[in-house]
Amino acid sequence: MLGAFQVSTAGDLANWHTGASDAIPAVGGAMDLAVGAQKVMVMMEHLTKQGESKIVARCTYPLTAGALRRPHLHDLAVIDVKADGLQVVETSRA
């Protein structure tokens, strides 16, 4: 399980740095896990604290890994990354 700042519609994952000049990068084993593990899931809230979607057409933060075909779990839904885009698998009952 990995957290994420952003996930693109192509499955790109950004989870180690927001690019902000005052942010401390959280470089760790996420890059190795994202590309090397047999099963990886991304768990995150759907929106930022400012109310912006963390699912984006293209990541603006530095990438951890590109084009992952892994499911990600949100506070609102479980979403699979497919070759032709995102697919909602299940929605939460909030």
Side-chain angles (χ1 to χ4, degrees):
M1 293 288 225
L2 295 174
F5 293 126
Q6 291 179 328
V7 173
S8 78
T9 55
D12 299 327
L13 170 67
N15 83 337
W16 69 276
H17 199 288
T18 62
S21 60
D22 61 342
I24 299 170
V27 177
M31 291 175 189
D32 293 333
L33 288 171
V35 298
Q38 289 182 357
K39 185 168 185 172
V40 175
M41 297 180 118
V42 176
M43 183 178 284
M44 64 187 207
E45 292 182 342
H46 187 76
L47 301 175
T48 66
K49 291 178 184 176
Q50 294 75 29
E52 298 170 351
S53 179
K54 290 184 177 185
I55 299 175
V56 294
R58 188 173 183 176
C59 289
T60 57
Y61 298 155
L63 293 183
T64 304
L68 296 174
R69 300 287 182 242
R70 308 281 205 302
H72 41 103
L73 307 141
H74 297 260
D75 53 339
L76 301 177
V78 176
I79 300 172
D80 265 346
V81 181
K82 302 290 186 182
D84 60 342
L86 301 179
Q87 178 184 23
V88 176
V89 176
E90 180 181 332
T91 58
S92 68
R93 298 177 188 192

